[in-house]
Amino acid sequence: MVSTPLKPYKNPIFFITTRLQSSKPISILSQNRVQKLISSQSDPLLAKEIFDLASIQPNFHPSYSTYHSLILKLAHSHHFSHINPLLTQLKSRNYPISPSLFSRLIRVYGETNHPEKALKLFYTILEFNTKPLPKHLNAILRVLVARRGFLRSALDLFRSAHRYGVLANVVSYNILMSAFCLNGDLSIAYRLFNEMFKRGLVPDIESYRILMQGLCRRSQVSKAVDLLEDMLNKGFVPDALSYTTLLNSLCRKKKLKEAYKLLCRMKVKGCNPDIVHYNTVIFGFCRENKAVDAVKVLEDMYRNGCLPNLVSYRTLVGGLCNQGLYDEASKYTKEMICKGFSPHFSVFHVLMKGLCNVGKTEEACELLVDMLRFGEAPHLDTWAEIVTRMCIAEDDVLRVEDMLKEILKVEIKPHTKIVEAGAGLEEYLNRKIQTRRKKF
């Protein structure tokens, strides 16, 4: 027998009520049709009303799929008061419950900031004569540790879970370790870490990284490095994030030699350094006025097949300028522009001013031309600096004129603000006119 396709009813409540009042057999209210009616409703309370009306039909038994669909619809719309009665009905009908229903309910309770409901649901699972799975335990632990006030409850549940037939796994330990590290309770995190070995569990890369991050947050970077060594000795290959954590902490503690050595060891130990690792060390050297060492790191990047990015160049050029190494800064600025990267106007201004201060106005003009060709607009202060330096130069007027012509060969756009910088040029020309008048 071919089933009749379900028609969309504008008022399903009216339809069901009419069918219930009919003296004819109500074959149309099958489990499948009721489930489709409920699933199609955008209003969860209307879906619940359809369910209630269908349930009073003699010999009608809602399917598990109907319960599953309705419970989740009510949960997602935060109508939590209707969920427990439906779970009780499921229990009374001895339906086998799919683990996914509890998993999704736990997730909804967590997303809606109801950790106490998530915890209660764990014990509700036991009432269905079924064992909670490790994924249920881990889902509830994630919900609980996300709220500081439930951190102790999470640990208590973790400790007692074995009584209910569910054993914590490495993921369970990692969840708690991460929470206690963030809370500053490193001693508890260490106990949990060592407990894994006693239970025959093997900590994974994330386990080590969580502890290393916790140690680095507490400025215990030496212990974090020792943990890395222990990790390597046990045959683990640390991931990129683990190295990023250590490199950043070493640089902050001004242990730059150690950071550079670690950077060099990464490839040997099976983890190729990426742009984040190199930039972290470059920034560390430049922050401590060791830009020459940062240049060496940049050269290492090329040799290892990692191309510098905008952050690499901006950091390096800024560091070189801060130390007065303008020739080197100029070199990497030109390289930066050739590769399509734009120096930040503040870095460019410092470089231009530095070159002018040491009498290298021509080099400054050359860089200005490159920047204009690249389509970048120097800041007004940069224009004023260049024009003023050119105007007070003791060189022949023709040389100054040649410099200006070179600059003006570039297609000047309105946003370059050269017009605003013209005040200095005007002053220069007026001074030259007055000088000539005195001569004649």
Side-chain angles (χ1 to χ4, degrees), residues 85-114:
L86 289 171
L87 289 174
T88 301
Q89 289 182 38
L90 272 175
K91 179 185 174 184
S92 65
R93 292 180 183 274
N94 293 318
Y95 279 127
I97 309 300
S98 66
S100 64
L101 175 61
F102 291 115
S103 298
R104 293 181 68 178
L105 277 177
I106 292 168
R107 186 164 62 249
V108 171
Y109 286 146
E111 291 170 353
T112 55
N113 197 26
H114 286 88

Side-chain angles (χ1 to χ4, degrees), residues 204-367:
D204 58 13
I205 294 174
E206 186 178 358
S207 309
Y208 281 95
R209 185 179 67 244
I210 288 168
L211 267 188
M212 283 190 283
Q213 288 174 331
L215 288 166
C216 289
R217 285 192 199 97
R218 301 296 295 271
S219 299
Q220 299 180 27
V221 65
S222 297
K223 289 185 178 180
V225 173
D226 291 341
L227 195 61
L228 175 72
E229 293 298 329
D230 179 63
M231 185 180 182
L232 292 168
N233 291 335
K234 287 185 168 64
F236 288 100
V237 177
D239 60 0
L241 185 56
S242 299
Y243 279 111
T244 301
T245 300
L246 288 176
L247 288 171
N248 188 52
S249 295
L250 285 168
C251 289
R252 287 184 178 277
K253 296 288 286 185
K254 302 182 181 180
K255 296 185 176 184
L256 299 174
K257 288 185 179 179
E258 291 87 340
Y260 182 66
K261 286 180 182 178
L262 182 61
L263 184 67
C264 295
R265 287 183 62 198
M266 285 179 63
K267 193 170 184 178
V268 179
K269 295 299 181 179
C271 182
N272 287 328
D274 60 25
I275 191 67
V276 175
H277 301 125
Y278 283 113
N279 283 349
T280 299
V281 180
I282 288 173
F283 182 77
F285 278 123
C286 288
R287 183 170 53 191
E288 297 304 316
N289 292 323
K290 295 184 177 180
V292 174
D293 293 315
V295 170
K296 186 178 179 183
V297 177
L298 192 78
E299 292 170 351
D300 288 346
M301 292 177 71
Y302 287 119
R303 285 194 289 269
N304 291 329
C306 183
L307 298 178
N309 63 5
L310 177 62
V311 175
S312 314
Y313 282 113
R314 281 187 176 179
T315 304
L316 181 59
V317 171
L320 290 166
C321 286
N322 290 338
Q323 290 185 249
L325 303 171
Y326 300 114
D327 288 337
E328 283 289 301
S330 179
K331 169 189 170 183
Y332 286 106
T333 299
K334 290 180 179 180
E335 182 179 310
M336 178 182 186
I337 292 172
C338 287
K339 295 194 175 181
F341 298 121
S342 171
H344 191 266
F345 73 85
S346 61
V347 174
F348 187 77
H349 177 71
V350 171
L351 176 55
M352 294 295 97
K353 187 174 181 179
L355 287 170
C356 290
N357 285 339
V358 296
K360 296 187 176 183
T361 307
E362 279 193 76
E363 289 87 338
C365 288
E366 288 176 6
L367 273 177

Side-chain angles (χ1 to χ4, degrees), residues 17 38 45 59 97 101 119 124 144 154 163 176 193 207 224 288 296 304 313 324 337 343 356 365 379 384 392 407:
T17 305
I38 289 173
L45 294 180
N59 300 319
I97 309 300
L101 175 61
L119 186 57
T124 301
L144 295 176
R163 301 176 192 169
L176 284 175
F193 181 77
S207 309
E288 297 304 316
K296 186 178 179 183
N304 291 329
Y313 282 113
I337 292 172
C356 290
C365 288
H379 193 269
I392 64 175
I407 291 172

Side-chain angles (χ1 to χ4, degrees), residues 18 32 45 58 65 71-72 87 102 126 129 133 141 145 151 160 178 195 210 237 249 277 285 295 313 335 338 417:
T18 301
N32 187 46
L45 294 180
S65 297
I71 289 171
L72 291 180
L87 289 174
F102 291 115
L126 302 172
N129 297 319
L133 300 175
L141 288 176
V145 300
L151 192 54
S160 62
S178 179
E195 188 179 300
I210 288 168
V237 177
S249 295
H277 301 125
F285 278 123
V295 170
Y313 282 113
E335 182 179 310
C338 287
K417 299 181 181 178

Side-chain angles (χ1 to χ4, degrees), residues 419-436:
V419 176
E420 289 94 324
L425 184 58
E426 181 184 7
E427 182 183 346
Y428 163 78
L429 293 174
N430 287 333
R431 192 167 63 248
K432 285 294 180 182
I433 291 171
Q434 290 173 3
T435 303
R436 285 185 179 182

